[in-house]
């Protein structure tokens, strides 16, 4: 009589584990693919306006530059995310200056815990350096 109870409990534990583990596995796989596959990469130049650490639970470095516009045209703002604390410190020192940002675009990142934008800055330098 004890054996059927063990088998039923084992099936229930297996079903519960699969219901919990499969979504977690899918999320981890999705996040790792989107964060490691680069859709596009390039450079943007403009005046660095802001770099700040934001978020309630997941703190991420977010920033924006004002792209150089033609006279008379409204300026365009490029928002970006920085994953490296050391790069964020470099950007904080360059705040207010004209900079060139090297970025990689990652489309489909599953949550804002990795960053609020799809543009991840991987390098920065002041114009003229």
């Amino acid at each position: 009589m004890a054996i059927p109870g063990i088998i039923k409990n084992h099936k229930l534990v297996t079903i519960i584990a699969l219901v919990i583990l499969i979504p977690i596995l899918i999320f981890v796989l999705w996040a790792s693919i989107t964060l490691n596959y680069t859709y596009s990469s390039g450079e943007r130049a403009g005046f660095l306006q802001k770099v700040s650490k934001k978020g309630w639970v997941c703190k991420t470095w977010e920033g924006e530059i004002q792209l150089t516009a033609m006279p008379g045209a409204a300026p365009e703002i490029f928002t970006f995310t920085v994953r490296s604390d050391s790069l964020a410190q470099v950007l904080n020192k360059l705040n207010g200056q004209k900079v060139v940002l090297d970025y990689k675009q990652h489309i489909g990142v599953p949550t804002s815990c990795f960053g609020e934008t799809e543009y991840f800055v991987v390098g920065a330098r002041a114009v003229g350096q």
Side-chain angles (χ1 to χ4, degrees):
M1 291 271 181
I3 303 252
I6 291 173
I7 292 173
K8 283 184 183 178
N9 288 339
H10 181 56
K11 286 182 181 179
L12 182 62
V13 169
T14 302
I15 289 171
I16 291 172
L18 288 176
V19 166
I20 293 171
L21 291 178
I22 287 178
I24 290 172
L25 181 65
I26 289 171
F27 176 81
V28 168
L29 185 63
W30 179 18
S32 64
I33 288 171
T34 58
L35 289 172
N36 291 310
Y37 176 74
T38 302
Y39 177 74
S40 71
S41 61
E43 293 181 340
R44 293 276 177 121
F47 291 96
L48 183 60
Q49 292 187 317
K50 172 178 100 164
V51 177
S52 61
K53 199 163 192 174
K54 295 173 60 175
W56 293 104
V57 177
C58 305
K59 299 283 188 185
T60 59
W61 287 100
E62 305 296 328
E64 60 185 41
I65 62 172
Q66 179 181 347
L67 302 178
T68 307
M70 295 183 62
E76 182 183 349
I77 301 296
F78 176 70
T79 57
F80 59 88
T81 299
V82 180
R83 294 177 67 187
S84 165
D85 286 339
S86 60
L87 182 55
Q89 296 308 318
V90 169
L91 287 170
N92 276 324
K93 290 177 184 173
L94 295 173
N95 211 354
Q97 297 180 37
K98 189 166 184 179
V99 297
V100 176
L101 302 179
D102 300 313
Y103 71 89
K104 293 185 178 188
Q105 183 181 11
H106 298 276
I107 294 178
V109 178
T111 176
S112 64
C113 273
F114 299 106
E116 291 184 3
T117 71
E118 59 188 32
Y119 299 100
F120 293 87
V121 171
V122 294
R125 64 188 179 279
V127 170
Q129 288 184 346

